[in-house]
Amino acid sequence: MSKRNYTHIKELLPTIQTMVAEGMTQREIAEHFDFKDKFVVKEALKHARKNGTTIPKFRTRKPAKTLQEYKYENKRLKMENELLRDFLSLTERM
């Protein structure tokens, strides 16, 4: 087994946070710093959020569909099924 490479993540944390803000993935950041895997970056960000050193991660609720949207989707799916049935009957697979 190879010896574990230790890196002071706390020193790199501001740089990692700016890279995340720029849109880089955790895997890309891990490869940039030659970490073993992306979980080093993931755990560092999670630890930083827990301690309140970064902006918390928010998840928003999806907007509810209206009755009209459900009716439109239902109509579209019925038309799609009808087209598929017609296609299968023309190709004699049914």
Side-chain angles (χ1 to χ4, degrees):
M1 242 178 145
S2 65
K3 188 174 180 180
R4 187 174 122 187
N5 294 332
Y6 183 77
T7 307
H8 291 282
I9 296 294
K10 288 184 181 181
E11 295 172 0
L12 298 175
L13 193 58
T15 310
I16 291 172
Q17 290 170 343
T18 56
M19 291 172 123
V20 169
E22 291 171 356
M24 289 182 73
T25 63
Q26 293 175 357
R27 186 179 306 272
E28 291 171 343
I29 295 169
E31 289 173 358
H32 180 267
F33 289 112
D34 294 326
F35 293 148
K36 188 174 179 180
D37 53 16
K38 71 174 186 169
F39 297 104
V40 176
V41 177
K42 180 180 179 180
E43 291 298 316
L45 291 171
K46 185 168 80 171
H47 185 69
R49 271 194 303 275
K50 183 179 176 184
N51 291 337
T53 57
T54 62
I55 299 171
K57 192 172 166 181
F58 293 108
R59 293 186 180 178
T60 59
R61 180 179 273 189
K62 293 180 183 176
K65 287 187 176 181
T66 62
L67 182 61
Q68 184 179 6
E69 289 172 329
Y70 279 121
K71 286 182 178 180
Y72 174 76
E73 184 179 10
N74 194 14
K75 182 179 177 183
R76 185 183 58 81
L77 290 172
K78 283 181 180 180
M79 287 172 46
E80 185 177 323
N81 282 339
E82 187 178 334
L83 284 172
L84 287 172
R85 280 193 199 108
D86 289 344
F87 173 75
L88 289 175
S89 67
L90 288 175
T91 58
E92 297 176 1
R93 292 189 182 189
M94 226 170 134

